[in-house]
Amino acid sequence: MLLKILGAIDLILGLILILLGTGILIPKDILIIAGGILLVKSSFGLLKDFASWVDFIGGGIFLLSIMVDVPEMIVIISGLLIAQKGIFSFL
């Protein structure tokens, strides 16, 4: 059950990152909350596996995109990785 909830969170946050990479403006509050969620999720794995690092980097990109203009390809690739992780948690 917890795996499905965390997977749904990954899928939603991955889609938000993809939308952010395509140029759609996302409110800063949502970016801060999403970045915090991914950083907390990455601490569950204690950065020992690849999935934790994907969450950590995704959270960093969310928080970094508030202050600077992150290249679109990096944001889209990170969003795809997070969304893929969410999809595979449902299988």
Side-chain angles (χ1 to χ4, degrees), residues 27-47:
K28 290 182 182 179
D29 297 338
I30 293 176
L31 295 177
I32 291 171
I33 291 170
I37 288 171
L38 283 177
L39 290 176
V40 167
K41 276 187 61 197
S42 71
S43 69
F44 290 152
L46 300 173
L47 299 176

Side-chain angles (χ1 to χ4, degrees), residues 20-79:
L20 184 68
T22 58
I24 296 176
L25 295 176
I26 308 291
K28 290 182 182 179
D29 297 338
I30 293 176
L31 295 177
I32 291 171
I33 291 170
I37 288 171
L38 283 177
L39 290 176
V40 167
K41 276 187 61 197
S42 71
S43 69
F44 290 152
L46 300 173
L47 299 176
K48 291 183 180 179
D49 58 347
F50 181 71
S52 306
W53 280 102
V54 170
D55 283 340
F56 184 75
I57 292 171
I61 288 174
F62 266 118
L63 295 177
L64 192 62
S65 67
I66 296 170
M67 297 175 275
V68 296
D69 189 26
V70 181
E72 291 86 14
M73 287 307 295
I74 293 175
V75 177
I76 291 172
I77 290 171
S78 177

